[in-house]
Amino acid sequence: MAAAANRTTLEGETTTVDEQLRIYHAYVGRGEKSAVVAERVEKAAVDSDKVIARSMGIKGGDPLPPGVYVRSTVVGFKVIKKSSDEVGVWLLSRVVQKNGEIAQEDGSYSRTLVGVEWQGEDWKLSVDVTQQAQEAVQGQTEPQMVARGDAAFNAVGWTAIRQAS
């Protein structure tokens, strides 16, 4: 669930706003949802869309041209703390961006710390569990961001997420 909640694809008419609101409505816990929080998520996503558009040299607010995309896929995880109903975890994502049909794809890695909580019938993102995970890693070095398959990947404690074919 944590990996699914951190996977995004921006292309065509799909925007950061679309992706962040999809994640908010599908993966945020019941007790943490409100109109105010949804509005904050949307505003931050609008700002992010503007930054992405500027970085690609396109006008913000317009659909992305054919061949242009930004994709983030979780490729690994490292558990920080866990119990039967809470998990704090580092997620390692591969982020790729292509600024045009004939442009070369650029890629990088990002690392995110998230907390999830079992809520009745499903795992949900939790601010409280995320804060607990942040406290648990305070003073520790963040895990190195390395490619899956690199010898350092396992050495720094990442576990690979294999994609279904």
Side-chain angles (χ1 to χ4, degrees):
M1 185 291 290
N6 283 275
R7 180 179 48 240
T8 58
T9 299
L10 311 178
E11 63 185 319
E13 294 189 20
T14 303
T15 66
T16 305
V17 173
D18 299 325
E19 288 291 83
Q20 292 303 308
L21 288 176
R22 172 189 63 80
I23 291 165
Y24 174 78
H25 291 296
Y27 298 110
V28 171
R30 293 179 301 274
E32 298 182 26
K33 288 183 179 177
S34 72
V36 171
V37 173
E39 192 173 307
R40 267 188 270 164
V41 168
E42 185 171 3
K43 183 183 179 327
V46 166
D47 293 344
S48 191
D49 275 332
K50 290 176 185 174
V51 169
I52 291 168
R54 272 196 305 271
S55 77
M56 295 179 164
I58 59 177
K59 183 180 172 209
D62 289 343
L64 295 177
V68 173
Y69 57 81
V70 180
R71 298 178 184 141
S72 178
T73 304
V74 177
V75 297
F77 67 93
K78 181 177 182 181
V79 175
I80 300 304
K81 58 180 277 183
K82 65 181 178 175
S83 70
S84 62
D85 61 351
E86 294 180 351
V87 178
V89 63
W90 281 109
L91 299 175
L92 176 66
S93 296
R94 174 84 171 135
V95 182
V96 294
Q97 179 172 323
K98 189 169 180 189
N99 293 350
E101 287 183 315
I102 59 171
Q104 187 170 6
E105 184 178 82
D106 289 322
S108 62
Y109 287 90
S110 70
R111 165 185 55 222
T112 307
L113 184 61
V114 299
V116 298
E117 177 180 39
W118 183 255
Q119 292 187 0
E121 299 179 11
D122 204 357
W123 290 98
K124 296 291 183 179
L125 295 171
S126 167
V127 171
D128 289 341
V129 179
T130 299
Q131 288 174 337
Q132 292 169 23
Q134 290 169 338
E135 291 168 8
V137 300
Q138 222 166 20
Q140 297 178 14
T141 303
E142 296 177 338
Q144 182 183 0
M145 295 182 287
V146 292
R148 190 174 53 200
D150 186 305
F153 186 88
N154 293 333
V156 296
W158 293 114
T159 299
I161 295 177
R162 309 241 188 283
Q163 302 298 321
S165 54

